[in-house]
Structure formats: structure tokens, C-alpha cells
Amino acid sequence: MEKFSFKNQLENLVQNPENHSYLLAVSGGADSMVLASLFQGLRLTYEVAHINYKLRGTDSDLDQKTVQDFCEKNHIQFHLYEVSEKDRKPENSIQLWARELRYRFFREIQEQENLKFLVTAHHLNDQLETFIINLSKASGINGLSGIPAGTSNTIRPLLNFSKKEIYEYAEKNKIDFREDLSNKKNDYLRNKIRNEIVPKLLETNDHFLENFKKSSYYLNQTKDFVHKQIEEIENKLTVFNPEHKILSKEKLAQESAFVQFEILKKYGFDCEEEIPKIFTAENGSSFFSKEYQLMINRNELILVDKDKKQETKDELLLIEGFDFSENTISISLENTIDHIDGINNNFEWEFDATKLQFPLRLRKQQDGDEFFPVVFPGKKKVSKFFRDEKLSILARPKIWILCDGHNSVLGVIPFRQDRRYTKDEKTKSILKIFNEKKK
């Protein structure tokens, strides 16, 4: 391992690395201290973040001092987080808790100091351990591809270097570091793999780690190819809609279970046992992930991003009363009702004002709503009217119900008004409600 080989790895991850700023996660161990030394040698713009978990008494404080001394010697901005009572350290899942805590701290510093990339010191041995852990979990090609060398704002430039190479570099360049003796204990799965399984694997072949690095590269290439193919398939299944993601249910059902899983997983539907239920669910059914609602609309799967759902008013006052000194009062809904694709919003309704109970309001559908639509005999539930009109799940929430002061339905806009309140030959006072389609 040499400085120029590290620089090559960095340049593979970041174009013109000297033009960017970095936050280095430095624990005090050989890996992260070598990382800091390499950044210092390349004269890059960086700052350092360290977490003192207070888990190992004096050793934790000595780790902090090692990192802090390096920063003071090289005039590097040092950011420290010391764990305290308020952090509520759990009795179990210490590793998960520690990971969430440190990455939250790192992101805060990145934002506060305007540092573009977070840099961690993961190396090739970490990659092998992760591969074995994910192999035991049946995590598929994504898991077997291991730790990514770079994401949008996190890079791992040591990922192609072994632990042995890092130690040799530290010794050659007289870099101070601290050994975390807790890593020698086999109380965590990763430690057990690191201390018992990996050494036996390395004994089987002098080039084991180098061959693993090549295999990891091939797996990542395969993963990238598969993702590209999945994206192309998804594009072919996508029905254009400016507001929501819509997939053809029929076409997706014809794809393999693997393709179905890979596409739906992107929207948080990652339970393989649940996905078949999506294709057998009744029209109108909904499924929920953390970020999306998936709705079955006949032959469509509609994916609605929960964070992007537009907040709309559920009720609007239309008119408080009628001035009976006027023969006709007209109300235009041009700027009130939503435009709905595929529906003619043009309508003109005329009511006998004496038959109405004011005030009149516009609201969304409620359970039990029913009315007596013009042209149709008898009464009809609004929900059944929607089904008969073959209104999509996306259109229904945009439909306004016109109702009176007793909450009786006067009409479903823009389709049908209630025939009980329409004007007739005896009507003298007319309330006209209309909408003209915008050109």
C-alpha cells in the first residue's frame, strides 16, 4: 500500500478530490489513523469526527486523546461526541445503537461545516466479514456485493486494501494508533467471524483475500447489470402519470418473482411472502410500506409517495344564503374544483332555491352518502355511483360532493345533481352552479 495507490482509489470515487471537503470518521484504530494520515499527506481539505462511547473506561479516553493529538499536531478541526446519560445506552443491540448514534453525529457535522463527503476507513477484511454475514442471511446479490465503495455522500477509499497492508503502512510511516481489545472478544457475530472464520479461510490459500477482492468486483458488476435490466423492465411497465408512479399490474404479474420483488422493493415492499397477495387482491385494496401506499386500481398498481401527498381541504363553504330578491344567482366553480384527467369537468346545474337548506358546502365523500341522481330511477349510494362510473382510485379523492345545511347530497360534481332539488316550471328563484372547461 502506497500513497499513490490510495490516491488512485480516491480518484475512482471522487473526481478532482482536491476540489472537495471531507469529514473523516476516526476512531483511533490503525485503519482510521492511516486514513487520516493519507489525507494529511495529500493536503486535502478535511475535518475529523470522533465518538467517545465511554464503553471501555480509560481505553476510550486514550482513543480520544490519540485522535485529538493528531488533529492538534496537524491543525485539523476536531469534532467530539461524548456519550452521556441522555443517550440512553441500551442493554442489548449496542452495535446498532452505536452505529445510529455516530452516523447521526457525522451527518450533523457535515451539514454544519458544509463538508461534502463523509469518509470511513472500511477495508478489504471488513468487506469479507460483511460478505460472510450476508451469506448467512440469504441476502441475495445486493448483500453479497458487500459494502459499497461510494454512495451519494459517503466514500470508503480503503476498501480495496487489506488489514495487513494497513498495518504495514502504519508501521512504515510511524503512525500512532490504538488497538481496541474488545475486538478480540467473540461476543458479537462480526468478531466471531473476524477472529475464528476469516483466519481459517486465509490459511486455505495464499491469495484468498486477493481472489475475494476480484470476486467482489465481479459481483458488483453483476449487480449493476441486473439493476440496469430491472430499471429497463420497470420503465416498460410504467404507465405515464404526472402525479404518481403507476405500473401495469397485468404485465408485472407476467414477470418472474425475482423481477417483481426487485421492482416493488424500491418502494418498501420487500417481504417476499406478501408480494403475491398484491396480484390477487381485490380492486380498491391498499398496501402500505414506510414511504408508499400501493393501491390496486383494476389493472394498475398505483404507488403514492406519502411525503408528497398534497394536503387538501375536506370542506369548503360555497354560499351562506340566497337573496330571494334576485331571480337567479350564479356560482362558478372554475377556480374551486380540481381538474381530473379523463373527466369532462363541464357542467351546469340549476336548483330551485326554495327547496334548499342553506348554507351550501362542498366536501369529500363520506360513508353512507346517497342521492337521487337525475336520469336514474330511485336513489344510489355515492360509493356505488363511483364504481358504476368506473372512477379510478386516484380520481375519487378529487371529487367534490355538494351538500346542504342538513348534510344531504345535492349532487356529485361534475357528474349528476340530485333530481329532488332541480328547478321546474314553478321555480321562481334559481341557484345556478356551473363550471366551464378551461381552454
Side-chain angles (χ1 to χ4, degrees), residues 32-230:
S32 58
M33 292 304 294
V34 164
L35 179 69
S37 177
L38 286 163
F39 265 71
Q40 183 65 23
L42 293 173
R43 299 184 181 278
L44 297 170
T45 302
Y46 73 97
E47 298 179 15
V48 165
H50 176 80
I51 312 281
N52 187 336
Y53 294 104
K54 301 292 185 180
L55 291 172
R56 296 180 293 113
T58 303
D59 281 337
S60 291
D61 294 333
L62 290 174
D63 291 348
Q64 175 186 323
K65 185 177 186 305
T66 299
V67 180
Q68 203 161 358
D69 287 348
F70 172 88
C71 291
E72 289 177 0
K73 178 182 176 182
N74 294 288
H75 309 289
I76 302 301
Q77 181 71 36
F78 175 72
H79 302 278
L80 172 67
Y81 188 96
E82 292 185 278
V83 171
S84 62
E85 294 284 335
K86 67 180 177 60
D87 293 301
R88 297 180 181 180
K89 182 176 61 181
E91 294 184 8
N92 299 315
S93 304
I94 290 288
Q95 287 185 316
L96 179 60
W97 164 81
R99 185 183 189 282
E100 290 177 349
L101 186 148
R102 66 175 173 267
Y103 275 97
R104 184 169 62 249
F105 174 58
F106 295 156
R107 298 307 180 200
E108 287 174 358
I109 298 301
Q110 266 188 282
E111 185 175 347
Q112 175 185 312
E113 301 295 325
N114 195 28
L115 302 170
K116 184 167 184 180
F117 294 103
L118 172 66
V119 190
T120 68
H122 291 91
H123 49 76
L124 188 57
N125 292 63
D126 291 325
Q127 187 74 288
L128 177 57
E129 294 161 13
T130 300
F131 173 88
I132 295 170
I133 290 171
N134 289 340
L135 182 66
S136 70
K137 294 179 179 178
S139 58
I141 192 169
N142 288 333
L144 296 181
S145 298
I147 307 167
T151 54
S152 58
N153 58 3
T154 301
I155 58 173
R156 303 173 179 89
L158 291 179
L159 208 53
N160 280 330
F161 300 103
S162 68
K163 186 78 171 179
K164 181 182 177 184
E165 290 176 291
I166 291 170
Y167 274 129
E168 289 173 351
Y169 185 90
E171 183 178 357
K172 179 180 177 181
N173 293 277
K174 297 181 172 53
I175 297 171
D176 290 333
F177 64 88
R178 297 263 309 159
E179 288 285 5
D180 184 348
L181 297 180
S182 68
N183 287 335
K184 301 295 182 182
K185 299 177 181 178
N186 292 335
D187 45 358
Y188 299 120
L189 175 61
R190 184 174 287 275
N191 284 4
K192 189 174 182 65
I193 289 171
R194 176 180 299 155
N195 299 326
E196 295 184 2
I197 298 175
V198 169
K200 293 185 183 300
L201 289 174
L202 298 182
E203 288 174 5
T204 63
N205 186 333
D206 291 342
H207 303 288
F208 184 93
L209 209 51
E210 187 63 29
N211 289 339
F212 168 73
K213 181 166 69 173
K214 292 178 182 177
S215 296
S216 183
Y217 172 78
Y218 298 145
L219 277 169
N220 273 284
Q221 292 287 93
T222 304
K223 180 187 72 174
D224 291 344
F225 174 78
V226 169
H227 284 179
K228 184 178 179 181
Q229 295 300 307
I230 293 292

Side-chain angles (χ1 to χ4, degrees), residues 142 227 260-270 275:
N142 288 333
H227 284 179
Q260 293 172 5
F261 176 76
E262 288 296 318
I263 289 176
L264 294 174
K265 180 180 67 174
K266 291 166 42 178
Y267 305 98
F269 300 95
D270 54 3
I275 287 178

